[in-house]
């Protein structure tokens, strides 16, 4: 049971709906983190801006090193999903 407020697909509007649609088309589902962040669309937008600027080969590190850093950062932070 989620104890944080989330935004459902039916409740998503504007920018949050656009982000949800993008994730669903790419991955088949919307991560719960994004459902929580969508309660404050300005925070969701900031998160997406940072993610887009630091992943997908957007940096001088290259995509492979970015993915390695993301993996090790998530592992160090105890993320399992």
């Amino acid at each position: 049971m989620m104890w944080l407020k989330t935004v459902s697909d039916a409740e998503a509007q504007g920018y949050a709906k656009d982000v949800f649609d993008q994730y669903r088309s790419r991955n088949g589902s919307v991560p719960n983190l994004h459902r929580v962040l969508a309660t404050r669309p300005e925070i969701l937008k900031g998160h997406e801006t940072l993610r887009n600027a630091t992943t997908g080969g957007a940096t001088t590190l290259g995509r492979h090193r970015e993915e390695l850093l993301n993996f090790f950062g998530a592992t160090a932070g105890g993320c399992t999903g």
Side-chain angles (χ1 to χ4, degrees), residues 40-55:
R40 299 275 307 274
E42 66 277 12
I43 294 175
L44 175 62
K45 187 169 189 160
H47 176 270
E48 287 298 293
T49 300
L50 178 63
R51 186 187 63 80
N52 290 335
T54 59
T55 61

Side-chain angles (χ1 to χ4, degrees), residues 17-74:
K17 183 176 181 345
D18 294 341
V19 170
F20 282 21
D21 290 345
Q22 289 171 10
Y23 271 96
R24 197 173 302 98
S25 70
R26 281 193 313 242
N27 307 325
S29 64
V30 179
N32 285 335
L33 170 65
H34 292 78
R35 292 187 182 283
V36 171
L37 294 178
T39 62
R40 299 275 307 274
E42 66 277 12
I43 294 175
L44 175 62
K45 187 169 189 160
H47 176 270
E48 287 298 293
T49 300
L50 178 63
R51 186 187 63 80
N52 290 335
T54 59
T55 61
T59 70
T60 59
L61 295 173
R63 187 178 185 111
H64 181 71
R65 286 188 180 117
E66 290 171 359
E67 289 179 6
L68 283 173
L69 287 170
N70 284 332
F71 171 77
F72 288 119

